[in-house]
mmCIF file of all heavy atoms in Angstrom:
data_model
loop_
_atom_site.group_PDB
_atom_site.id
_atom_site.type_symbol
_atom_site.label_atom_id
_atom_site.label_comp_id
_atom_site.label_asym_id
_atom_site.label_seq_id
_atom_site.Cartn_x
_atom_site.Cartn_y
_atom_site.Cartn_z
ATOM 1 N N GLY K 147 10.593 8.189 9.193
ATOM 2 C CA GLY K 147 9.258 8.380 9.302
ATOM 3 C C GLY K 147 8.671 9.394 8.162
ATOM 4 O O GLY K 147 9.259 10.241 7.834
ATOM 5 N N VAL K 148 7.530 8.968 7.699
ATOM 6 C CA VAL K 148 6.871 9.779 6.629
ATOM 7 C C VAL K 148 6.364 10.983 7.165
ATOM 8 O O VAL K 148 5.236 10.904 7.830
ATOM 9 C CB VAL K 148 5.895 8.884 5.713
ATOM 10 C CG1 VAL K 148 5.296 9.694 4.765
ATOM 11 C CG2 VAL K 148 6.648 7.672 5.235
ATOM 12 N N ALA K 149 6.868 12.183 6.887
ATOM 13 C CA ALA K 149 6.245 13.473 7.380
ATOM 14 C C ALA K 149 5.896 14.286 6.198
ATOM 15 O O ALA K 149 5.233 15.370 6.318
ATOM 16 C CB ALA K 149 7.337 14.216 8.237
ATOM 17 N N ASP K 150 6.319 13.984 4.948
ATOM 18 C CA ASP K 150 5.953 14.808 3.734
ATOM 19 C C ASP K 150 6.258 13.863 2.473
ATOM 20 O O ASP K 150 6.741 12.659 2.662
ATOM 21 C CB ASP K 150 6.626 16.063 3.660
ATOM 22 C CG ASP K 150 8.204 15.961 3.539
ATOM 23 O OD1 ASP K 150 8.608 15.598 2.230
ATOM 24 O OD2 ASP K 150 8.900 16.252 4.266
ATOM 25 N N PHE K 151 5.857 14.375 1.378
ATOM 26 C CA PHE K 151 5.980 13.548 0.199
ATOM 27 C C PHE K 151 6.866 14.196 -0.829
ATOM 28 O O PHE K 151 6.619 13.962 -2.108
ATOM 29 C CB PHE K 151 4.732 13.053 -0.407
ATOM 30 C CG PHE K 151 3.879 12.354 0.577
ATOM 31 C CD1 PHE K 151 2.898 12.810 1.342
ATOM 32 C CD2 PHE K 151 4.190 10.939 0.658
ATOM 33 C CE1 PHE K 151 2.149 12.010 2.382
ATOM 34 C CE2 PHE K 151 3.547 10.194 1.561
ATOM 35 C CZ PHE K 151 2.431 10.647 2.327
ATOM 36 N N GLY K 152 7.851 15.157 -0.405
ATOM 37 C CA GLY K 152 8.713 15.779 -1.350
ATOM 38 C C GLY K 152 8.040 16.805 -2.268
ATOM 39 O O GLY K 152 8.492 17.203 -3.286
ATOM 40 N N THR K 153 6.853 17.358 -1.709
ATOM 41 C CA THR K 153 6.163 18.314 -2.509
ATOM 42 C C THR K 153 6.478 19.682 -1.648
ATOM 43 O O THR K 153 7.047 19.728 -0.659
ATOM 44 C CB THR K 153 4.704 18.130 -2.493
ATOM 45 O OG1 THR K 153 4.212 18.143 -1.209
ATOM 46 C CG2 THR K 153 4.514 16.720 -3.154
ATOM 47 N N SER K 154 5.934 20.812 -2.265
ATOM 48 C CA SER K 154 6.191 22.075 -1.503
ATOM 49 C C SER K 154 5.238 22.097 -0.333
ATOM 50 O O SER K 154 5.360 22.947 0.464
ATOM 51 C CB SER K 154 5.730 23.073 -2.488
ATOM 52 O OG SER K 154 4.335 22.955 -2.984
ATOM 53 N N GLY K 155 4.289 21.271 -0.119
ATOM 54 C CA GLY K 155 3.443 21.077 1.102
ATOM 55 C C GLY K 155 4.056 20.481 2.132
ATOM 56 O O GLY K 155 3.784 19.240 2.207
ATOM 57 N N LYS K 156 4.924 21.080 2.967
ATOM 58 C CA LYS K 156 5.632 20.426 4.024
ATOM 59 C C LYS K 156 4.686 20.443 5.234
ATOM 60 O O LYS K 156 3.894 21.325 5.475
ATOM 61 C CB LYS K 156 6.895 21.014 4.416
ATOM 62 C CG LYS K 156 7.985 21.072 3.306
ATOM 63 C CD LYS K 156 8.443 19.744 3.002
ATOM 64 C CE LYS K 156 9.564 19.791 1.998
ATOM 65 N NZ LYS K 156 9.964 18.459 1.429
ATOM 66 N N HIS K 157 4.792 19.317 6.018
ATOM 67 C CA HIS K 157 3.779 19.276 7.112
ATOM 68 C C HIS K 157 4.619 19.187 8.520
ATOM 69 O O HIS K 157 4.926 18.114 9.022
ATOM 70 C CB HIS K 157 2.966 17.836 6.929
ATOM 71 C CG HIS K 157 2.175 17.959 5.832
ATOM 72 N ND1 HIS K 157 0.899 18.616 5.752
ATOM 73 C CD2 HIS K 157 2.413 17.629 4.498
ATOM 74 C CE1 HIS K 157 0.393 18.584 4.672
ATOM 75 N NE2 HIS K 157 1.198 17.953 3.694
ATOM 76 N N LYS K 158 4.964 20.208 8.882
ATOM 77 C CA LYS K 158 5.653 20.435 10.222
ATOM 78 C C LYS K 158 5.053 19.711 11.441
ATOM 79 O O LYS K 158 5.735 19.100 12.267
ATOM 80 C CB LYS K 158 5.961 21.925 10.547
ATOM 81 C CG LYS K 158 6.691 22.692 9.507
ATOM 82 C CD LYS K 158 8.178 22.635 9.723
ATOM 83 C CE LYS K 158 8.880 23.492 8.701
ATOM 84 N NZ LYS K 158 9.972 22.960 8.097
ATOM 85 N N THR K 159 3.759 19.809 11.487
ATOM 86 C CA THR K 159 3.022 19.158 12.593
ATOM 87 C C THR K 159 3.185 17.634 12.525
ATOM 88 O O THR K 159 2.964 16.940 13.560
ATOM 89 C CB THR K 159 1.561 19.459 12.530
ATOM 90 O OG1 THR K 159 0.913 19.176 11.251
ATOM 91 C CG2 THR K 159 1.211 21.011 12.837
ATOM 92 N N MET K 160 3.461 17.059 11.440
ATOM 93 C CA MET K 160 3.553 15.509 11.307
ATOM 94 C C MET K 160 5.033 15.134 11.519
ATOM 95 O O MET K 160 5.231 14.095 11.903
ATOM 96 C CB MET K 160 3.247 15.112 9.840
ATOM 97 C CG MET K 160 3.193 13.705 9.650
ATOM 98 S SD MET K 160 2.252 12.759 10.777
ATOM 99 C CE MET K 160 0.544 13.362 10.442
ATOM 100 N N GLN K 161 6.049 16.091 11.543
ATOM 101 C CA GLN K 161 7.457 15.639 11.749
ATOM 102 C C GLN K 161 7.734 15.124 13.094
ATOM 103 O O GLN K 161 8.357 14.122 13.150
ATOM 104 C CB GLN K 161 8.372 16.894 11.507
ATOM 105 C CG GLN K 161 8.487 17.252 10.070
ATOM 106 C CD GLN K 161 9.316 18.407 9.875
ATOM 107 O OE1 GLN K 161 9.422 19.371 10.639
ATOM 108 N NE2 GLN K 161 9.702 18.565 8.555
ATOM 109 N N THR K 162 7.043 15.535 14.267
ATOM 110 C CA THR K 162 7.304 14.996 15.445
ATOM 111 C C THR K 162 6.697 13.585 15.523
ATOM 112 O O THR K 162 7.439 12.710 15.999
ATOM 113 C CB THR K 162 6.622 15.763 16.580
ATOM 114 O OG1 THR K 162 7.140 17.143 16.681
ATOM 115 C CG2 THR K 162 6.788 15.230 18.036
#
Side-chain angles (χ1 to χ4, degrees):
V148 178
D150 66 72
F151 296 100
T153 64
S154 57
K156 299 293 183 183
H157 297 276
K158 301 271 186 222
T159 57
M160 187 52 65
Q161 288 177 335
T162 299

